[in-house]
Amino acid sequence: MEVRGGNRRGTGHLRRVMNYRVDLILAEEQRNATVLNPRSISRIAIMLLVLVIGYVVFRSVYGFVNLQREVSWLQERWDGSGPMSQKATQVRDALTLNLGTMDELKGWKESRLDWHTQIQPLEQVVPVTIQLFTLTMQQTLTTETGPARSALLIVDGRSVGEQAGENVERLKNVFETAPAYSGLVKRVEVPMFTADTTPGASKADRRFRIQSAYTERHFR
Amino acid sequence: MKLPAAKSERVKIYVLIGIGSAGVLYAVWSVGISTMLEKQRKLVERRTELQENVQKAERKIGLMRGELDETIRTLQTICDETDKYVIRSTLGDNYLLGVTEKIEQMARTAGVTIDPPTQVGISDVPQSAQRPSKNILKLYTARVSLACGLSELVRFLRQIDTSSPYVCVSAISIAGQPESPETHRITIDIQWPSWAEKDTAEALKRQLAEYRGMRQ
C-alpha cells in the first residue's frame, strides 16, 4: 500500500491541511479507465478484420457454389439441346443445298430460249428478192460473266436486183428491231457482202452474211 | 492462458501470433482461395461458352420447324420437277433410247419425218466462279436430222420448246436444197438435263422421306 501526502498553502494566514490519496491497486494491476485505448481499438480492428475476411470468404464460396450450380444447369440444357441442335444444323445445311439445287433448276429454265420464236419471223420478213442458203444457230457455254448460254445466229444468202444492198440492210434491221428479237439480240453485223459470182447471177446480185449475237443467258 | 507479465515478452508473443496468422492466411489463400479463384475463372469461361452454345442451339431449334417445312417443300418441288423433266439412262449409260422416244413423239405431233436421232454426248454445265457449288445436272445432247419446210420446222421446234421447261435447242442448221427449194436439210441439237450422279434421284427421295419423318 502506498500513502502519499502533501500540504496546501492558503492565502492570508497559514493553514496546514493534510491530504492523502490511498491507491489500493498495485501499479501493475492498474488499468486505463477510458473506453478507447490502443488495446481495445486493436481488438475491435482484429474482430472487424476477421469479420471482413469471413464475409469475403463466405461470399466467394457462396458465389462459387452458385456458379457451379449454374454451370451444371447450363450443361444439362446444352446436353438436352445439343442433339436437337445438330439436327437443326443438318436441316439448315440441307435447306441451303436444296435451295442451291432450286437455283440450278431455275438457271436451266432461264438460260434457254424458245427457238421457234426466232425462226418463225423469217417466214414473213425475208423479202422475195432475198434467198437464204443456210441458217445456222450455234449455242456455246460461256463463263466470262458466270455460266451462261450464248448463241450466234448466222444467215447466209443472196440478194438479187438493184436494191440488193437495201434489202440486206432491211433484213439486218429486222434482226435488230423486230419484237421477236428485241432484248435478246445484242449485236447484228454483216461480215460479208460481196458480188455474187455464181453462174447465172446478175452484176447487181450480192452474196451476204448476217450475224446476230444473242445476249448471254445465265444459268445463275 | 495468461500472457506473460513482462511487456517485451507479450510483444514477442503478439509478433509471433501476427506472423503465424499471416502464414495461416497465406496458406489458406494459396491452397484454398487461389485454387478456388482459378476454378471460378474456368467456370466463368465455361458458363459463357455454354450460354452462347445454348443460345445458338435454342435459336436454331426455334427456327428448325420453319426450315424443316421449307426443306420439305423445296425437296418436293425438286423431286417433282426432276421426275418429270430429267432424263434417265436405260441399261447402263444409254440415254438415247429414252430421248429417241421423246423426239419421235414430238415429230409425230408436228407432222414431220425425222432420221433416227444420234447422241452428241454429255457435258458439264460450267461452274460459277462467284458461287462454286457442285451441279447436280449435266447436259445430255442428241442430234436429230430431218428434211422439211420452214413452217414444219417451226412446228417441230415449238413441240421441242414446249415439251419441257428445261429442254434447250443448242444448235440449228438449215441448208437449202437446190433440187427442192421448199424443203430444207435441217439438223437440230437438243439438250436435256441428266443427273450428274446416277443415284441423285433416289438420294433426294430418301432425304425427303427422312425430313418428313423428322417433322412427325
Side-chain angles (χ1 to χ4, degrees), chain B residues 54-68:
Chain B
V54 166
Q55 268 177 7
K56 270 187 208 163
E58 286 177 351
R59 211 176 307 132
K60 261 193 226 169
I61 293 165
L63 293 172
M64 188 178 140
R65 169 65 64 174
E67 287 179 343
L68 186 60

Side-chain angles (χ1 to χ4, degrees), chain B residues 71-118:
Chain B
T71 304
I72 291 168
R73 266 199 311 276
T74 311
L75 268 171
Q76 186 64 64
T77 310
I78 293 168
C79 287
D80 290 348
E81 292 275 299
T82 53
D83 272 353
K84 260 196 270 180
Y85 301 120
V86 173
I87 56 161
R88 286 154 201 269
S89 62
T90 47
L91 300 172
D93 266 353
N94 195 333
Y95 290 94
L96 192 59
L97 277 175
V99 300
T100 299
E101 214 171 282
K102 287 178 196 286
I103 295 168
E104 282 174 348
Q105 173 62 42
M106 291 185 281
R108 271 197 300 275
T109 312
V112 293
T113 308
I114 55 166
D115 297 340
T118 55

Side-chain angles (χ1 to χ4, degrees), chain B residues 16-28:
Chain B
L16 276 175
I17 289 170
I19 292 169
S21 305
V24 168
L25 279 177
Y26 178 74
V28 167

